[in-house]
Amino acid sequence: MSALRRLLPAVALCAALSAAPIIQVSRACPMVIPPQPLRKLYEMSDRVAVVRVGSTEILGRRDEEVLTRVTLHVTEDVKGDGPNVVHLSRSVWPAEEEEEEREAPAFVEGQRLLVFLDRGAEGYEIDDENYGAKPLSEEALKLYLKRIEELAALTAHGPIEKKALVEWLVRCAEQPATRWEGAYELELSAEAAAENESGEAEDGAADGDGDASETAGGAEGRAEAAASDGAAVSAGDGGRPVEAADGIGMPDPEQVTVMKPPAAAMLRARQRFTEPDAELVKLLNEDQRRRLADSLFAAEEMGEGEGALLRVVAHYGDSRLAPFVLAQLRRVEAEAPYVAEQWLGLLAVVLGDEEVGRLVAEYRQKAVYDVYSEQGADDGGAEQAAEESAAEEPDYEHDPEALRAAEKRITERRSALLRVLLDRLGANLAAAQLAAQ
């Protein structure tokens, strides 16, 4: 097995740290909906349009959930057609509630969006506003419309030929505006390929050691667990329609264009999700891999698209990868955000050094992000933790100054830990580069 093949499962594990955001159907019933990139959104949507957001009307409430109806004025049809004015039902919660990983559009009056609409029983709806309603600049909108035009041409006569699809995904990933749309699909493909490689390696080891039956039993158990998880997500009241009995006080259906509840739309989105194609990343030729790497290493900042592209490039390696990741970590060392742990994990895999892996694991153990987990997080041990936990806990909810001080304190501690680790990683990388000369 090549060194790259040994790296794949570990890199896939690192990629899993940035899982799909949890789109909550309700406060009581969260449902994980995999994001849909541009290609899938275009394929699944009945209508794609550029719109201007109009007025918003509150239809009713259920606990903290507020059901609203937003008027959208269509300025350009990209796929399909219909009325120039459509209405969108949305469930919203108070701003202070926990935010999702990727914030959905605010739907402010006058805002321009590229929307991907499904025709429901009584009008149009958006399965996942985080990805199906895109606020774009003029330049970004032009790029999206160009990529959609190309996609329409590729799909005009049936399913897309895979090599043509891969080239289209690379073109998406090359531009910052559409980077995530291409890199995300390639990332999913790379993860699927890594899982296949890992499964083949495990099967081979089991055959060689005579433990095939045990491995098969473990796989069967994992499959049963996965099936149970899927059933748990799909069952229950996740797809239950919002009815008058819920206390919403719904208006006359004749007065409302869109009434299908978001829960049902999200359940449908999950059911329509297509499994990743492990062949796509394998079809990348040398020039395409170089273009992807060049796009990543030229990035001025690390966003969602760059993160996905980083995990793609990590699968086939590049001598610039480790220095690039280290440089990105240096850029965020003052804040030491959680994403730094993901990059550290990837860097440990790329360097292939057990000592680096140990240092990264130690950092993860010591890094604290929650002020309520601060006590006992230092090196004082269990005795110190017990003494500190016995002390009166600050009332952060009613003392914003204390909260800000605590947040600053734990950030500074994380930053100090990260700086020490990066100094050691930098020394290791310099030594490795010197030895390779």
Side-chain angles (χ1 to χ4, degrees), residues 347-362 425 428:
L347 188 58
V349 171
V350 170
L351 293 176
D353 188 311
E354 290 186 5
E355 175 65 11
V356 171
R358 184 189 66 77
L359 293 172
V360 170
E362 184 177 310
L425 292 179
N428 282 26

Side-chain angles (χ1 to χ4, degrees), residues 15-210:
L17 292 174
S18 58
I22 296 179
I23 309 302
Q24 291 190 329
V25 171
S26 69
R27 293 301 181 194
C29 182
M31 179 186 295
V32 177
I33 302 297
Q36 300 287 10
L38 180 59
R39 181 176 71 92
K40 295 304 299 181
L41 284 173
Y42 178 82
E43 177 184 311
M44 296 189 312
S45 299
D46 297 314
R47 188 178 182 186
V48 181
V50 181
V51 303
R52 287 284 182 185
V53 178
S55 60
T56 298
E57 175 187 359
I58 295 178
L59 300 180
R61 300 175 184 271
R62 179 174 60 190
D63 297 327
E64 296 183 354
E65 181 181 6
V66 180
L67 186 63
T68 67
R69 181 179 66 180
V70 182
T71 300
L72 302 178
H73 300 271
V74 177
T75 60
E76 180 180 354
D77 274 314
V78 182
K79 175 187 176 183
D81 54 25
N84 291 330
V85 178
V86 298
H87 296 94
L88 179 71
S89 68
R90 303 182 63 235
S91 290
V92 296
W93 285 268
E96 66 268 22
E97 292 293 337
E98 184 176 345
E99 296 180 356
E100 297 163 358
E101 291 185 21
R102 173 171 175 155
E103 187 176 353
F107 286 89
V108 176
E109 189 167 359
Q111 182 184 33
R112 180 179 57 193
L113 300 171
L114 177 63
V115 293
F116 297 79
L117 304 170
D118 291 319
R119 195 182 301 277
E122 300 176 29
Y124 291 104
E125 56 201 34
I126 296 175
D127 283 341
D128 179 359
E129 291 176 359
N130 295 62
Y131 293 84
K134 303 178 186 293
L136 301 170
S137 66
E138 187 70 33
E139 188 60 32
L141 179 60
K142 289 179 181 179
L143 284 170
Y144 265 89
L145 294 180
K146 183 175 179 58
R147 294 287 89 87
I148 290 175
E149 181 182 359
E150 295 168 351
L151 186 60
L154 289 173
T155 57
H157 304 292
I160 305 177
E161 195 270 327
K162 287 188 178 182
K163 287 187 177 180
L165 171 58
V166 168
E167 172 58 28
W168 183 82
L169 292 173
V170 171
R171 285 203 299 273
C172 284
E174 284 183 299
Q175 295 293 333
T178 56
R179 178 158 292 155
W180 180 84
E181 309 288 359
Y184 175 65
E185 277 207 77
L186 292 172
E187 177 192 4
L188 293 181
S189 176
E191 289 180 18
E195 290 172 3
N196 292 346
E197 294 279 357
S198 179
E200 290 173 4
E202 290 178 2
D203 290 344
D207 291 340
D209 297 338

